[in-house]
């Protein structure tokens, strides 16, 4: 049951940057007909808001106050795809740069930022179900989720995937600095005191270093079916 008394099932998919969580979570959500929460997008959008509003990204109280002032929504854009809107403006294209990812990871260390975004994340638990993608979905946001996955891959493989995505989007990138950024972000995400990236209790560990997305999607769907039978 969630915090509004709802019982919609939740599948949490946690893991480090570039593990394929985003693509796999979206695909699994689509196949199940469930909702999808991209929790990283909330941290990224807050980072964009801070930069736009000139809020110091090292000032925890100012960031917590900013959360109260902004409106963050996930809805369909005019082109029909799901997108993040900040104060009514679509910011989806701005979310994916490495600079925004790094800002998100810096502000995500602050307890007041994490607690400020917690209630928003829990509102996504609605019927017929939710696939929640992030770092602390199974450990903090939805600790009672029925289905939990921890998805990872080697830092080098994750760096190569991220590099390919950036190049395909026409964003200039350098492979060794992308791998270095990923390693720095891993360190920050795993070593922060508040909601660090951990393998949640009860999660199934999947290493996707040598698997295609489709294979991992099938593994996750099988896991769901098998868990339902328990
Ligand atoms: O998943 P994504 O790369 O979009 O997340 C950006 C950053 O936001 C991560 O590096 C992490 O520091 C932070 N984050 C988090 N908790 C989440 C999701 C993302 O701390 N649930």
């Amino acid at each position: 049951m969630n915090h509004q008394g709802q019982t919609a099932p939740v599948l949490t998919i946690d893991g480090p940057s570039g593990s394929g969580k985003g693509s796999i979570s979206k695909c699994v959500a689509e196949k199940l007909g469930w909702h999808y929460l991209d929790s990283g997008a909330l941290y990224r959008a807050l980072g964009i808001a801070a930069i736009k509003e000139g809020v110091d990204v090292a000032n925890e109280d100012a960031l917590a106050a900013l959360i109260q002032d902004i409106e963050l929504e996930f809805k369909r854009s005019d082109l029909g795809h799901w997108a993040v809107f900040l104060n009514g403006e679509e910011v989806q294209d701005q979310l994916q740069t490495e600079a925004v990812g790094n800002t998100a990871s810096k502000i995500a260390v602050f307890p007041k930022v994490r607690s400020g975004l917690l209630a928003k994340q829990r509102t996504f638990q609605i019927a017929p179900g939710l696939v929640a993608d992030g770092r602390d979905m199974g450990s903090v946001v939805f600790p009672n989720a029925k289905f939990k996955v921890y998805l990872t891959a080697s830092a080098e493989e994750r760096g190569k995937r991220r590099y390919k995505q950036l190049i395909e989007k026409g964003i200039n990138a350098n492979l060794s600095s992308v791998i270095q950024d990923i390693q720095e972000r891993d360190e920050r995400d795993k070593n922060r005191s508040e909601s660090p990236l951990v393998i949640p209790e009860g999660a199934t560990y999947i290493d996707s270093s040598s698997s295609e997305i489709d294979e991992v999607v099938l593994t996750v769907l099988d896991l769901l079916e098998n868990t339902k039978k328990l």
Side-chain angles (χ1 to χ4, degrees):
M1 193 177 287
N2 78 359
H3 295 72
Q4 286 82 46
Q6 291 169 334
T7 53
V10 180
L11 161 65
T12 60
I13 304 192
D14 290 300
S17 217
S19 55
K21 283 178 295 116
S23 316
I24 288 159
S25 303
K26 270 184 226 149
C27 197
V28 169
E30 201 159 301
K31 289 207 186 286
L32 294 169
W34 286 10
H35 300 274
Y36 168 59
L37 165 62
D38 176 359
S39 60
L42 296 179
Y43 289 92
R44 286 173 183 260
L46 179 62
I48 291 178
I51 293 164
K52 283 194 171 155
E53 301 290 323
V55 169
D56 179 1
V57 294
N59 183 334
E60 180 174 8
D61 286 325
L63 289 166
L66 183 62
I67 294 175
Q68 306 307 319
D69 284 348
I70 57 174
E71 194 188 37
L72 278 178
E73 295 167 288
F74 281 89
K75 56 183 191 188
R76 287 210 185 267
S77 71
D78 292 344
L79 298 174
H81 58 259
W82 284 99
V84 176
F85 287 75
L86 170 63
N87 297 331
E89 182 202 344
E90 185 184 339
V91 290
Q92 192 65 30
D93 285 349
Q94 301 167 42
L95 290 185
Q96 291 313 319
T97 67
E98 291 305 283
V100 170
N102 281 326
T103 305
S105 131
K106 285 180 188 153
I107 64 179
V109 302
F110 294 126
K112 289 179 188 168
V113 167
R114 303 202 71 84
S115 60
L117 291 177
L118 191 62
K120 175 91 194 154
Q121 296 174 76
R122 288 182 173 154
T123 62
F124 282 76
Q125 187 182 359
I126 38 177
L130 172 69
V131 179
D133 144 9
R135 304 291 187 292
D136 60 345
M137 297 294 101
S139 54
V140 176
V141 183
F142 302 107
N144 300 325
K146 188 162 181 191
F147 313 102
K148 295 184 186 181
V149 166
Y150 183 86
L151 187 65
T152 190
S154 68
E156 194 175 59
E157 181 57 34
R158 290 185 283 124
K160 283 187 194 156
R161 291 177 189 167
R162 181 72 86 198
Y163 172 78
K164 195 164 160 255
Q165 278 172 354
L166 292 169
I167 297 297
E168 278 169 4
K169 284 183 189 152
I171 300 172
N172 201 8
N174 167 289
L175 180 58
S176 55
S177 57
V178 170
I179 294 175
Q180 195 184 335
D181 275 355
I182 281 203
Q183 286 166 331
E184 284 170 11
R185 205 167 333 153
D186 284 358
E187 284 303 303
R188 231 177 357 246
D189 289 350
K190 288 181 178 165
N191 295 320
R192 65 182 176 221
S193 55
E194 191 72 17
S195 310
L197 171 63
V198 291
I199 303 174
E201 207 184 318
T204 299
Y205 183 96
I206 301 177
D207 185 325
S208 72
S209 302
S210 52
S211 314
E212 297 296 326
I213 287 180
D214 293 357
E215 289 174 66
V216 182
V217 168
L218 287 179
T219 307
V220 174
L221 290 172
D222 279 351
L223 171 79
L224 246 83
E225 282 309 309
N226 293 332
T227 312
K228 275 186 203 161
K229 288 181 201 147
L230 291 179

